[in-house]
């Protein structure tokens, strides 16, 4: 928790909730009860199963509309978005070192999640938690054996990072190396493929491009290594954190389109790259939980959902296991299941899946490993002010140095033992390819071997052109997500896998409304406009679930606003033309094959 006292923050939360909700036209806890009464019922109860972003969003929207909400969470509130403490790392009055499942990324293409953040009070912030977002001004494609490609992020008000003469030389050399490695005809072809997707109608996207991998769409297999690394693999890693060889073109293209227009200032909530200005729990999750508590939400942490009991066409109860390992049954009028798909599926019986076949189709959804490791350093890292993508690393590493983005946090004074000055947070996206030190996959390595291997791959990407960015002597310690277990043995496991998007999986995603009248689904696997495993998708699906619940009970409460991805109006005429061509069996007019 932050240092601000809970009593003061709860007061601020309560006061801001009423005024902020009224301004938004959304019922606060004080004004929502009449809506329930108008529906001809006493206050109705909702069990929210899961306390990640989806579950907390559902609880937020329901509590503002007068429902009695209880959240059941197996581990910790915030789910994969939370930050966590490094055990036994605090000395004296300092806090433990902050760790995380993976670094937070809240781009300007998001609209629903930022709205929730604005409605979550934070002391001293006019716009609540949303004011805790800061915008990195640059990013980097870190090449192994080449000069790194340092790229400014355009946005009004952004000032270029301060560069030394040597950094300017390196930036220019990186651009020239990339230009030299990318033949003009390959650049032209990639641009053409982008135009083809931008002008494709929804039918073509949902059918033809959903059935085509991004790798095949951009013909990466026939292009140079630089093309493959920068435009096929690099784009997918930076934008959608997925694998170019597997991800559907619809998924990659839709998000790529949104990011392009975001960078142009179109349909944007803010800059293309935003992160929090402090550890996630301090800047966001803890204030959110306190606000929800002030709205009357009850939290049951350490309670694991084991089975949804089904009878007479409804959910009759939920079988849970409490923190002491005792099995219990909990009941409510309605159930919002806000669990990751890999944890939700085991709770559905054959009878339940038969009652709603879309639950059975969820068996075809796929997950993979993408997990974070943090390195704590005794010096600030002179890398850059933003995210870096180690595009040639065997384990597909992306990273960010966090201290420079946490202006009100002083590592030596606030965290650890007083010697740590920075945290380099790294995401490992590839766990099934051999590394460079041991020749083993990440799953085959022990935790110590993973830490040494990732450090070696970072140094190979950053120290390869004469600049000593990372030095062994400044490495204080490291922390690998505890959700990963059993690596280095024949049975590695991961409690927090990432939903991935191989071709065709769009059509297996369920809707928030099910055929069971008191069961609603929420999570980043649910079908919403943003086709990706994201906090935005989790938030939007929770809003859809609450709206479906309100419709089910005939509530007069205002519906949650669900903002779709931006659609550039100037392209609609091209898409209408393409719809005609698609229905005639013709390729897109710009598609050169």
């Amino acid at each position: 928790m932050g240092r601000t006292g809970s009593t003061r923050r709860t007061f601020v939360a309560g006061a801001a909730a009423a005024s902020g909700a009224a301004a938004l036209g959304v019922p606060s806890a004080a004004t929502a009860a009449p809506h329930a009464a108008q529906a001809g019922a006493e206050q109705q109860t909702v069990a929210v199963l899961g306390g990640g972003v989806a579950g907390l969003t559902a609880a937020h929207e329901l509590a503002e509309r007068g429902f009695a909400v209880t959240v059941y969470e197996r581990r910790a509130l915030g789910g994969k978005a939370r930050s966590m403490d490094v055990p036994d790392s605090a000395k004296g009055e300092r806090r433990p070192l902050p760790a995380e499942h993976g670094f937070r990324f809240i781009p300007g293409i998001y609209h629903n999640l930022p709205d929730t953040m604005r409605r979550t009070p934070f002391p001293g912030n006019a716009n609540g938690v949303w004011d805790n977002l800061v915008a990195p001004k640059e990013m980097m494609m870190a090449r192994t054996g080449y000069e790194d490609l340092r790229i400014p992020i355009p946005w009004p008000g952004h000032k270029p990072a301060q560069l030394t003469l040597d950094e300017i030389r390196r930036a220019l050399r990186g651009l020239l190396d990339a230009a030299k490695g990318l033949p003009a005809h390959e650049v032209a072809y990639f641009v053409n493929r982008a135009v083809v997707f931008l002008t494709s109608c929804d039918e073509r996207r949902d059918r033809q491009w959903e059935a085509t991998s991004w790798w095949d769409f951009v013909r990466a297999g026939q292009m140079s290594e630089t093309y493959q690394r920068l435009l096929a693999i690099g784009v997918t890693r930076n934008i959608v954190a997925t694998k170019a060889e597997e991800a559907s073109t619809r998924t990659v293209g839709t998000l790529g389109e949104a990011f392009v227009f975001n960078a142009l200032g179109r349909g944007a909530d803010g800059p293309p790259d935003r992160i929090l200005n402090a550890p996630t729990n301090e800047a966001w999750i803890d204030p959110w939980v306190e606000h929800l508590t002030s709205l009357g939400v009850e939290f049951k942490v350490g309670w694991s959902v084991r089975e949804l009991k089904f009878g007479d066409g409804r959910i009759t109860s939920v079988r849970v296991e409490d923190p002491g390992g005792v099995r219990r049954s909990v009941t409510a009028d309605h159930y919002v299941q806000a669990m990751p798909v890999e944890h939700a599926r085991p709770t559905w019986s054959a009878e339940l899946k038969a009652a709603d076949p879309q639950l059975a189709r969820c068996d075809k959804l796929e997950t993979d490993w993408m997990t974070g490791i943090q390195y704590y350093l005794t010096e600030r890292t002179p890398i850059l002010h933003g995210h870096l993508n180690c595009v040639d690393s065997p384990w597909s590493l992306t990273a960010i140095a966090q201290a420079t983005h946490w202006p009100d946090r002083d590592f030596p004074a606030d965290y650890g033992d007083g010697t740590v000055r920075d945290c380099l947070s790294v995401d490992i996206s590839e766990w099934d390819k051999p590394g460079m030190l041991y020749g083993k996959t990440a799953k085959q390595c022990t935790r110590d071997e993973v830490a040494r291997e990732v450090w070696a791959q970072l140094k190979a990407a950053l120290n390869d052109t004469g600049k000593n960015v990372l030095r062994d002597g400044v490495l204080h310690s490291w922390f690998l997500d505890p959700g990963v277990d059993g690596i280095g043995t024949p049975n590695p496991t991961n409690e927090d896998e990432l939903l991935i998007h191989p071709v065709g999986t769009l059509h297996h995603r369920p809707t928030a409304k099910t055929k069971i009248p008191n069961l609603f689904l929420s999570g980043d696997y649910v079908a919403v406009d943003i086709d990706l495993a994201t906090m935005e998708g989790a938030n939007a699906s929770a809003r859809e679930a609450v709206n479906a619940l309100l419709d089910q009970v005939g509530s007069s409460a205002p519906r949650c606003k669900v903002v779709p991805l931006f659609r550039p109006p100037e392209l609609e005429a091209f898409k209408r033309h393409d719809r005609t061509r698609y229905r005639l069996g013709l390729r897109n007019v710009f598609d050169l094959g």
Side-chain angles (χ1 to χ4, degrees):
M1 301 292 288
R3 291 178 176 174
T4 304
S6 59
T7 301
R8 175 176 178 267
R9 184 175 290 171
T10 301
F11 170 78
V12 172
S19 61
L24 289 165
V26 174
S28 68
T31 62
H35 289 290
Q38 291 171 22
E42 296 179 359
Q43 187 180 36
Q44 298 185 53
T45 59
V46 183
V48 175
L49 311 178
V53 171
L56 294 179
T57 301
H60 195 156
E61 301 295 345
L62 288 164
E64 286 187 337
R65 289 162 175 80
F67 290 86
V69 181
T70 302
V71 176
Y72 297 87
E73 165 56 40
R74 67 186 175 92
R75 183 182 53 193
L77 297 173
K80 287 181 282 190
R82 78 195 188 285
S83 56
M84 62 195 90
D85 296 337
V86 177
D88 304 318
S89 62
K91 303 298 181 185
E93 298 298 318
R94 300 181 186 87
R95 307 169 190 172
L97 291 170
E100 56 201 355
H101 169 70
F103 52 73
R104 302 274 61 75
F105 174 49
I106 304 173
I109 67 170
Y110 290 4
H111 288 272
N112 298 292
L113 184 69
D115 171 68
T116 299
M117 298 176 86
R118 288 184 177 94
R119 290 159 45 208
T120 303
F122 191 91
N125 287 0
N127 299 298
V129 164
W130 186 85
D131 282 341
N132 290 339
L133 294 175
V134 294
K137 298 177 176 62
E138 58 182 343
M139 60 165 288
M140 178 188 288
M141 296 278 197
R143 302 295 313 275
T144 300
Y146 302 87
E147 193 62 62
D148 299 329
L149 185 58
R150 193 166 176 171
I151 306 167
I153 299 175
W155 191 257
H158 268 191
K159 295 180 180 179
Q162 296 294 318
L163 300 176
T164 65
L165 182 59
D166 181 61
E167 288 172 326
I168 293 171
R169 285 197 194 99
R170 290 176 179 275
L172 291 173
R173 193 157 60 237
L175 287 170
L176 291 173
D177 282 348
K180 180 175 62 178
L182 279 172
H185 73 276
E186 291 187 354
V187 173
Y189 185 77
F190 185 84
V191 170
N192 172 258
R193 301 313 284 165
V195 170
V196 168
F197 187 85
L198 288 172
T199 57
S200 289
C201 64
D202 290 341
E203 289 93 330
R204 192 184 298 278
R205 293 186 183 197
D206 291 350
R207 298 169 190 170
Q208 182 179 357
W209 301 143
E210 173 62 18
T212 305
S213 74
W214 179 252
W215 184 267
D216 290 339
F217 179 74
V218 298
R219 290 194 177 178
Q222 303 172 33
M223 302 297 185
S224 66
E225 182 184 6
T226 300
Y227 180 99
Q228 294 173 356
R229 290 292 179 180
L230 293 182
L231 300 181
I233 297 173
V235 165
T236 57
R237 285 284 184 263
N238 272 356
I239 293 179
V240 296
T242 190
K243 298 177 181 178
E245 300 89 340
E246 300 176 3
S248 81
T249 294
R250 181 192 185 279
T251 295
V252 178
T254 299
L255 271 294
E257 175 184 50
F259 274 100
V260 166
F261 283 98
N262 185 179
L264 296 172
R266 303 288 307 282
D269 181 81
D273 189 357
R274 295 182 299 190
I275 59 176
L276 291 163
N277 63 2
T280 307
N281 274 34
E282 294 181 38
W284 176 24
I285 301 299
D286 289 347
W288 198 6
V289 170
E290 290 191 28
H291 177 54
L292 297 185
T293 300
S294 77
L295 295 179
V297 176
E298 183 179 359
F299 294 99
K300 299 280 191 180
V301 179
W303 294 61
S304 299
V305 176
R306 298 303 183 195
E307 184 182 4
L308 274 60
K309 294 290 186 179
F310 179 68
D312 297 326
R314 301 175 64 84
I315 302 300
T316 57
S317 65
V318 175
R319 194 74 168 160
V320 300
E321 187 175 300
D322 70 16
V326 177
R327 293 288 179 104
R328 302 175 181 272
S329 290
V330 299
T331 59
D333 296 317
H334 313 281
Y335 302 87
V336 175
Q337 189 163 25
M339 300 160 61
V341 66
E342 70 272 20
H343 294 296
R345 284 185 299 219
T347 71
W348 301 335
S349 65
E351 293 78 13
L352 183 60
K353 290 192 285 188
D356 190 346
Q358 69 172 345
L359 300 181
R361 289 198 298 272
C362 288
D363 289 341
K364 298 180 180 179
L365 296 176
E366 299 181 36
T367 59
D368 202 349
W369 290 33
M370 182 178 181
T371 305
I373 182 171
Q374 286 78 53
Y375 294 93
Y376 303 97
L377 312 175
T378 56
E379 293 181 2
R380 290 288 183 96
T381 53
I383 303 175
L384 80 162
H385 298 283
H387 290 95
L388 67 97
N389 181 344
C390 302
V391 294
D392 298 308
S393 59
W395 290 358
S396 297
L397 307 179
T398 51
I400 189 168
Q402 294 181 315
T404 189
H405 303 291
W406 296 351
D408 296 328
R409 299 297 185 274
D410 184 335
F411 262 99
D414 292 344
Y415 304 103
D417 61 7
T419 64
V420 172
R421 295 187 60 83
D422 208 346
C423 172
L424 182 60
S425 187
V426 185
D427 280 354
I428 307 169
S429 297
E430 177 56 73
W431 286 77
D432 294 307
K433 290 184 179 179
M436 54 188 291
L437 278 187
Y438 304 104
K440 297 190 292 186
T441 70
K443 291 178 182 176
Q444 293 170 333
C445 290
T446 65
R447 297 178 77 85
D448 285 340
E449 288 173 339
V450 166
R452 288 193 287 269
E453 176 73 53
V454 172
W455 185 252
Q457 291 185 28
L458 290 169
K459 289 197 298 181
L462 296 169
N463 293 358
D464 56 328
T465 54
K467 189 174 182 180
N468 198 17
V469 176
L470 294 181
R471 296 184 294 108
D472 294 340
V474 304
L475 180 57
H476 174 278
S477 55
W478 53 269
F479 181 85
L480 178 62
D481 189 330
V484 169
D485 193 22
I487 54 175
T489 75
N491 300 300
T493 61
N494 188 342
E495 288 190 2
D496 298 296
E497 295 194 17
L498 180 78
L499 183 75
I500 59 174
H501 305 269
V503 296
T505 52
L506 170 73
H507 307 296
H508 304 315
R509 299 177 67 163
T511 59
K513 177 179 173 63
T514 74
K515 292 186 177 180
I516 294 87
N518 62 341
L519 175 63
F520 309 89
L521 302 179
S522 175
D524 60 14
Y525 70 98
V526 174
V528 291
D529 195 54
I530 186 166
D531 174 27
L532 197 66
T534 59
M535 295 182 292
E536 174 77 347
N539 184 280
S541 70
R543 292 166 180 249
E544 296 275 17
V546 171
N547 286 345
L549 190 157
L550 295 174
D551 291 344
Q552 182 68 35
V553 302
S555 173
S556 60
R559 295 325 189 239
C560 308
K561 184 177 181 180
V562 183
V563 180
L565 287 172
F566 174 70
R567 293 177 66 101
E570 54 267 46
L571 295 180
E572 291 303 313
F574 292 102
K575 293 179 181 179
R576 288 193 297 270
H577 180 256
D578 188 57
R579 185 181 303 116
T580 300
R581 293 182 63 86
Y582 180 77
R583 291 173 178 177
L584 291 173
L586 302 174
R587 65 174 59 180
N588 180 282
V589 68
F590 297 105
D591 194 343
L592 304 178

